mmCIF file of all heavy atoms in Angstrom:
data_model
loop_
_atom_site.group_PDB
_atom_site.id
_atom_site.type_symbol
_atom_site.label_atom_id
_atom_site.label_comp_id
_atom_site.label_asym_id
_atom_site.label_seq_id
_atom_site.Cartn_x
_atom_site.Cartn_y
_atom_site.Cartn_z
ATOM 1 N N GLY A 102 117.956 54.215 27.000
ATOM 2 C CA GLY A 102 117.792 55.040 25.781
ATOM 3 C C GLY A 102 118.984 55.955 25.670
ATOM 4 O O GLY A 102 119.850 56.119 26.571
ATOM 5 N N ALA A 103 119.069 56.623 24.499
ATOM 6 C CA ALA A 103 120.198 57.500 24.167
ATOM 7 C C ALA A 103 119.744 58.840 24.637
ATOM 8 O O ALA A 103 119.218 59.659 23.819
ATOM 9 C CB ALA A 103 120.511 57.448 22.710
ATOM 10 N N LYS A 104 120.028 59.213 25.912
ATOM 11 C CA LYS A 104 119.596 60.528 26.471
ATOM 12 C C LYS A 104 120.785 61.384 26.860
ATOM 13 O O LYS A 104 121.795 60.804 27.400
ATOM 14 C CB LYS A 104 118.669 60.232 27.613
ATOM 15 C CG LYS A 104 117.392 59.618 27.187
ATOM 16 C CD LYS A 104 116.515 59.260 28.434
ATOM 17 C CE LYS A 104 115.290 58.497 27.908
ATOM 18 N NZ LYS A 104 114.778 57.622 28.960
ATOM 19 N N LEU A 105 120.619 62.661 26.827
ATOM 20 C CA LEU A 105 121.658 63.571 27.301
ATOM 21 C C LEU A 105 120.965 64.504 28.411
ATOM 22 O O LEU A 105 119.781 64.757 28.316
ATOM 23 C CB LEU A 105 122.278 64.433 26.299
ATOM 24 C CG LEU A 105 122.945 63.710 25.183
ATOM 25 C CD1 LEU A 105 123.376 64.558 24.039
ATOM 26 C CD2 LEU A 105 124.188 62.875 25.716
ATOM 27 N N THR A 106 121.680 65.009 29.373
ATOM 28 C CA THR A 106 121.118 65.933 30.352
ATOM 29 C C THR A 106 121.559 67.387 30.039
ATOM 30 O O THR A 106 122.603 67.599 29.352
ATOM 31 C CB THR A 106 121.634 65.569 31.742
ATOM 32 O OG1 THR A 106 122.972 65.753 31.795
ATOM 33 C CG2 THR A 106 121.298 64.128 32.069
ATOM 34 N N PRO A 107 120.780 68.321 30.581
ATOM 35 C CA PRO A 107 121.201 69.799 30.335
ATOM 36 C C PRO A 107 122.636 69.985 30.938
ATOM 37 O O PRO A 107 123.402 70.756 30.245
ATOM 38 C CB PRO A 107 120.193 70.562 31.147
ATOM 39 C CG PRO A 107 118.983 69.658 31.186
ATOM 40 C CD PRO A 107 119.432 68.269 31.159
ATOM 41 N N LYS A 108 122.934 69.360 32.074
ATOM 42 C CA LYS A 108 124.299 69.485 32.635
ATOM 43 C C LYS A 108 125.361 69.091 31.581
ATOM 44 O O LYS A 108 126.409 69.712 31.498
ATOM 45 C CB LYS A 108 124.360 68.654 33.865
ATOM 46 C CG LYS A 108 125.464 69.042 34.866
ATOM 47 C CD LYS A 108 125.161 68.193 36.149
ATOM 48 C CE LYS A 108 126.448 68.090 36.868
ATOM 49 N NZ LYS A 108 126.412 67.165 38.042
ATOM 50 N N GLN A 109 125.134 67.993 30.910
ATOM 51 C CA GLN A 109 126.115 67.523 29.895
ATOM 52 C C GLN A 109 126.147 68.480 28.730
ATOM 53 O O GLN A 109 127.268 68.789 28.273
ATOM 54 C CB GLN A 109 125.661 66.147 29.463
ATOM 55 C CG GLN A 109 125.822 65.044 30.425
ATOM 56 C CD GLN A 109 125.323 63.720 29.958
ATOM 57 O OE1 GLN A 109 124.251 63.582 29.358
ATOM 58 N NE2 GLN A 109 126.014 62.639 30.319
ATOM 59 N N LEU A 110 124.992 69.024 28.292
ATOM 60 C CA LEU A 110 125.050 69.885 27.172
ATOM 61 C C LEU A 110 125.813 71.194 27.597
ATOM 62 O O LEU A 110 126.523 71.716 26.751
ATOM 63 C CB LEU A 110 123.643 70.134 26.740
ATOM 64 C CG LEU A 110 122.872 69.038 26.070
ATOM 65 C CD1 LEU A 110 121.501 69.367 25.742
ATOM 66 C CD2 LEU A 110 123.632 68.415 24.879
ATOM 67 N N ILE A 111 125.615 71.718 28.808
ATOM 68 C CA ILE A 111 126.309 72.899 29.213
ATOM 69 C C ILE A 111 127.815 72.647 29.237
ATOM 70 O O ILE A 111 128.620 73.418 28.731
ATOM 71 C CB ILE A 111 125.787 73.375 30.578
ATOM 72 C CG1 ILE A 111 124.356 73.837 30.436
ATOM 73 C CG2 ILE A 111 126.697 74.453 31.142
ATOM 74 C CD1 ILE A 111 123.601 73.980 31.731
ATOM 75 N N ALA A 112 128.226 71.464 29.843
ATOM 76 C CA ALA A 112 129.640 71.185 29.820
ATOM 77 C C ALA A 112 130.237 71.050 28.435
ATOM 78 O O ALA A 112 131.290 71.552 28.140
ATOM 79 C CB ALA A 112 129.907 69.795 30.604
ATOM 80 N N LEU A 113 129.486 70.525 27.567
ATOM 81 C CA LEU A 113 129.934 70.397 26.135
ATOM 82 C C LEU A 113 130.121 71.759 25.480
ATOM 83 O O LEU A 113 131.076 71.944 24.821
ATOM 84 C CB LEU A 113 128.781 69.531 25.351
ATOM 85 C CG LEU A 113 129.068 69.068 23.949
ATOM 86 C CD1 LEU A 113 130.324 68.280 23.933
ATOM 87 C CD2 LEU A 113 127.932 68.326 23.398
ATOM 88 N N GLY A 114 129.218 72.667 25.780
ATOM 89 C CA GLY A 114 129.286 74.028 25.166
ATOM 90 C C GLY A 114 130.584 74.713 25.557
ATOM 91 O O GLY A 114 130.952 75.546 24.761
#
Side-chain angles (χ1 to χ4, degrees):
K104 293 173 186 155
L105 300 176
T106 65
K108 202 171 156 190
Q109 288 175 322
L110 294 176
I111 291 166
L113 188 57

